[in-house]
């Protein structure tokens, strides 16, 4: 099911394997794709690849939404020649109504010879976008703090237990005479993580902050606790 619209959600389907849905309306085909994007630099290349793969399409409409703060999200959109308000705007409204961000929807339209009118176009693009979202894998978008940590093996064992307790994970590790690793911790647990590491290693390990990053966390299924 969909999570509450007040949460920041995204999809984890990648640009090379987007969720796809096809909607037919009065002989026109609307092929919608949705995928995760981490920054606006990815958007143009993905849209260009879709356009190149569909040289006979009449329109390739897209909407991208990025950023975790609902009040300052970056929106990039194009109607690609469709009448204003009939294509990208309905797609954007679908994304906003579901609380989606850090994602891109591209809808490719093959014209079937029958004019749909403004209302028909808006309904068609909205239906295509909704169908693609229904086919996608959802995730909660969470802000994590990144850390570099260096520790001997006994101290690293302590750090690793703390990471699990606060809901973080070791993102990379180099095992030599000591352990040098990267750790990501949910922003809400960052202060506790830093304090616990210093306390429980008696000051032998001090995490070095590297800044925040947005990461998707898959939604629990209906059968999960």
């Amino acid at each position: 099911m969909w999570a509450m619209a007040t949460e920041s959600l995204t999809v984890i389907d990648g640009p090379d394997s987007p969720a796809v849905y096809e909607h037919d309306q009065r002989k026109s085909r609307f092929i919608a794709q949705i995928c995760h994007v981490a920054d606006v630099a990815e958007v143009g290349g993905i849209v260009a690849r879709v356009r190149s793969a569909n040289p006979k399409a009449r329109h390739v409409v897209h909407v991208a939404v990025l950023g975790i703060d609902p009040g300052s999200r970056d929106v990039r959109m194009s109607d690609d020649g469709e009448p204003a308000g009939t294509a990208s705007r309905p797609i954007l409204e679908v994304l906003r109504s579901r609380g989606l961000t850090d994602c891109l929807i591209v809808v490719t339209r093959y014209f079937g010879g029958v004019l749909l009118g403004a209302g028909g176009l808006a309904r068609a693009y909205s239906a295509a976008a909704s169908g693609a979202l229904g086919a996608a894998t959802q995730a909660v978008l969470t802000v994590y703090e990144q850390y570099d940590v260096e520790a001997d093996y006994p101290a690293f064992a302590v750090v690793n237990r703390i990471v699990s307790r606060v809901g973080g994970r070791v993102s990379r590790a180099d095992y030599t005479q000591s352990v040098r690793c990267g750790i990501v911790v949910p922003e809400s647990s960052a202060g506790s993580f830093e304090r616990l590491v210093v306390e429980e290693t008696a000051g032998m390990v001090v995490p070095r902050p590297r800044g925040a990053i947005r990461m998707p966390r898959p939604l629990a299924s209906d059968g999960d606790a």
Side-chain angles (χ1 to χ4, degrees):
M1 64 174 59
W2 289 102
M4 293 178 62
T6 54
E7 294 182 287
S8 291
L9 301 181
T10 189
V11 299
I12 58 176
D13 306 82
D16 294 330
S17 55
V20 180
Y21 179 83
E22 182 171 333
H23 175 75
D24 295 330
Q25 187 157 321
R26 300 185 69 185
K27 299 183 180 181
S28 280
R29 295 170 58 209
F30 297 80
I31 306 167
Q33 305 179 34
I34 183 170
C35 67
H36 183 81
V37 288
D39 57 61
V40 72
E42 293 185 74
V43 173
I46 297 170
V47 175
R49 289 200 300 271
V50 174
R51 191 182 300 279
S52 177
N54 295 275
K56 295 184 179 180
R58 176 70 66 90
H59 304 281
V60 179
V61 176
H62 76 271
V63 176
V65 180
L66 297 109
I68 202 163
D69 181 1
S72 59
R73 286 179 177 162
D74 189 3
V75 176
R76 304 298 173 99
M77 52 200 289
S78 169
D79 290 316
D80 194 34
E82 293 282 35
T86 65
S88 61
R89 179 61 58 181
I91 297 171
L92 178 61
E93 291 307 313
V94 169
L95 289 174
R96 283 178 168 168
S97 70
R98 305 289 178 85
L100 269 290
T101 189
D102 280 15
C103 61
L104 165 68
I105 292 184
V106 183
V107 180
T108 304
R109 181 191 178 192
Y110 284 88
F111 181 55
V114 178
L115 296 175
L116 301 181
L121 279 175
R123 288 189 293 273
Y125 278 104
S126 179
S130 294
L133 285 178
T137 302
Q138 307 166 57
V140 177
L141 194 62
T142 303
V143 177
Y144 287 80
E145 292 292 339
Q146 304 176 93
Y147 294 93
D148 285 328
V149 167
E150 183 174 0
D152 61 23
Y153 282 81
F156 176 69
V158 174
V159 172
N160 207 17
R161 288 195 294 271
I162 295 169
V163 170
S164 296
R165 280 158 52 190
V166 300
R169 67 180 179 86
V170 176
S171 58
R172 56 178 172 78
D174 181 18
Y175 299 94
T176 55
Q177 292 184 342
S178 61
V179 181
R180 297 178 179 178
C181 64
I183 291 171
V184 292
V185 176
E187 184 182 46
S188 58
S189 302
S192 297
F193 169 72
E194 295 178 22
R195 176 180 54 79
L196 289 169
V197 168
V198 173
E199 288 179 355
E200 297 190 19
T201 65
M204 293 175 57
V205 180
V206 178
R208 298 188 299 276
R210 291 180 49 234
I213 187 173
R214 300 194 303 271
M215 295 174 60
R217 173 172 55 81
L219 291 172
S221 65
D222 290 344
D224 292 342

